Amino acid sequence: MKYRILTIILGLCVLFGVILALPGCSSSKENGETYAYIFFPNGKMLVSGEVEAAWHGSNGLLGITIDGIEYQTHCMNAVLETKRADI
């Protein structure tokens, strides 16, 4: 009984984590323009700018096109941000 309760709690935590992570995968530009900041693994910024296209692959691989150049990086080295004009 004890393990069943722990399994249910763990399952709910995983489900909650997935629900929180999914909005970050969106590339929608409905409310404004999407900007990306891509960093080197040591923390220095490589490039930033408006996202023209983006895709994600397996194992955290991201492809982000900024100013006609496609950058392929790991999701840990990129920050995507939506700036709204009405805020």
Side-chain angles (χ1 to χ4, degrees), residues 1 3 18 20 23 27 29 31-32 36 47 52 61 66 76 86:
M1 184 69 176
Y3 293 111
V18 169
L20 287 177
S27 63
K29 291 187 176 185
N31 295 329
V47 68
E52 298 170 6
L61 181 67
I66 299 173
M76 296 295 291
D86 60 345

Side-chain angles (χ1 to χ4, degrees), residues 18-82:
V18 169
I19 289 172
L20 287 177
L22 285 179
C25 299
S26 174
S27 63
S28 174
K29 291 187 176 185
E30 294 174 8
N31 295 329
E33 299 173 342
T34 302
Y35 291 86
Y37 305 93
I38 302 175
F39 298 90
F40 286 110
N42 66 0
K44 292 184 179 180
M45 185 179 295
L46 171 66
V47 68
S48 66
E50 185 177 342
V51 175
E52 298 170 6
W55 57 268
H56 59 88
S58 62
N59 296 328
L61 181 67
L62 289 177
I64 301 171
T65 304
I66 299 173
D67 295 330
I69 301 172
E70 182 177 348
Y71 299 92
Q72 293 183 5
T73 186
H74 192 268
C75 63
M76 296 295 291
N77 298 332
V79 176
L80 296 173
E81 175 181 63
T82 301

